[in-house]
Amino acid sequence: MNKIMRAYSALKKEEKIMIRRGLLVAVSLCVILGAMAWKIGTMRGQAASAAEISDTTGPAAQGQGQTYAAIAGFRSAKFGETEDAVRAAISTDFGKSGDDVKVVENPVERTKALIVEVSDLVPETGKARVTYVLGYKSKALIQVNVLWGTPIVPDTTAVGIGRTGLVLKSYFARQNFDPKFTIRDRKLKNGVLVFQSRDAQGHLVRLVYIQAPIGKPKPASADEAAAAEKKSIYLLNLSYVANPAAPDILTIKEGDF
């Protein structure tokens, strides 16, 4: 960490501004990924891949008597639960309560988020941020986002975040998700849609890896290219969404104004 701080101090003012802007973009990107999860249509794909990180098992009969995995929420927190119940789940799962749980209001969607930082959610992966989103009208749990990466641990590397992604992909592979609604390893502009599926109730699970450069790398020598490679942000975002088709957020109907 000291080496990183010294390297940061040695940067020019313009480079520092670019890095700060890059981190802001990273955080915004995570929020967008979570908020846009309901807009991602289900697509046909290969049967998927998956570790015991959340409660995604249970009866979800589909097709000709086949039972597929169900997405009920995240660990002890279940979709549809009240804020008090979610706080109790956070305490049960992570021993966090009081000031350890940050509260953030979304002024646009009018949702409320309970946020906690935890260590080694996946063994030996460091810190992660877990965000529980409560709906606008229901005031109940509608979504959970789990984030690993640069905004939480500044010295995150592509190798480290990649390993976490592989562990999670291995976990989802062991769950019996319906292959008709499952996709994996789909390339995105700045990353990979590692896994996505939904259950019989339409609940969505989505795992996305993002690597975004900070600034615009210039043509450079091998050493400079290696340095430019380090000026990237790495994110792994796991989302569980109760109702991606009709999220419980504030919306203004067409024609109201």
Side-chain angles (χ1 to χ4, degrees):
M1 182 62 72
N2 290 334
K3 291 182 180 179
I4 293 174
M5 294 305 297
R6 287 197 296 270
Y8 180 81
S9 299
L11 294 175
K12 296 179 182 179
K13 180 179 179 181
E14 293 80 3
E15 293 175 322
K16 292 180 179 179
I17 292 173
M18 289 169 63
I19 290 175
R20 289 196 294 268
R21 287 177 177 173
L23 291 176
L24 286 174
V25 170
V27 175
S28 299
L29 184 57
C30 295
V31 174
I32 291 172
L33 285 172
M36 294 292 290
W38 60 79
K39 295 183 181 178
I40 305 299
T42 54
M43 293 172 280
R44 293 180 179 270
Q46 298 171 310
S49 358
E52 188 170 7
I53 230 181
S54 74
D55 181 2
T56 57
T57 59
Q62 303 175 42
Q64 300 176 349
Q66 176 67 56
T67 299
Y68 293 113
I71 303 162
F74 178 70
R75 294 202 175 186
S76 299
K78 308 303 180 186
F79 292 137
E81 290 186 331
T82 64
E83 179 176 344
D84 287 344
V86 173
R87 285 181 177 273
I90 293 171
S91 178
T92 297
D93 293 338
F94 306 117
K96 303 280 187 179
S97 60
D99 293 340
D100 290 334
V101 182
K102 296 181 180 178
V103 179
V104 176
E105 305 277 352
N106 187 317
V108 177
E109 298 176 354
R110 302 294 175 84
T111 55
K112 183 177 183 179
L114 306 179
I115 304 173
V116 293
E117 288 196 0
V118 299
S119 295
D120 292 331
L121 188 57
V122 175
E124 300 179 10
T125 56
K127 290 184 178 180
R129 181 177 299 151
V130 186
T131 302
Y132 302 81
V133 182
L134 305 175
Y136 164 57
K137 292 182 178 179
S138 67
K139 312 301 181 187
L141 185 66
I142 62 170
Q143 184 168 332
V144 181
N145 300 316
V146 186
L147 174 69
W148 294 263
T150 305
I152 304 163
V153 181
D155 58 352
T156 295
T157 63
V159 172
I161 207 78
R163 286 174 180 169
T164 304
L166 287 174
V167 171
L168 289 169
K169 188 168 79 167
S170 174
Y171 166 65
F172 289 120
R174 298 197 300 271
Q175 310 306 302
N176 189 28
F177 284 101
D178 189 341
K180 294 195 303 294
F181 304 122
T182 299
I183 58 175
R184 64 176 179 178
D185 298 329
R186 181 168 298 229
K187 290 191 67 175
L188 304 175
K189 182 177 180 181
N190 288 314
V192 179
L193 174 56
V194 181
F195 179 87
Q196 178 177 293
S197 193
R198 68 176 177 86
D199 64 11
Q201 288 71 44
H203 302 153
L204 179 79
V205 58
R206 189 169 192 254
L207 179 65
V208 179
Y209 166 77
I210 295 293
Q211 178 178 337
I214 299 174
K216 296 181 179 180
K218 300 177 181 179
S221 65
D223 290 341
E224 290 173 325
E229 172 66 18
K230 294 179 181 178
K231 295 179 182 178
S232 296
I233 53 174
Y234 306 99
L235 305 170
L236 187 66
N237 191 71
L238 174 62
S239 296
Y240 298 95
V241 188
N243 190 351
D248 182 9
I249 62 175
L250 174 64
T251 57
I252 298 178
K253 298 178 183 178
E254 185 175 352
D256 283 354
F257 292 94

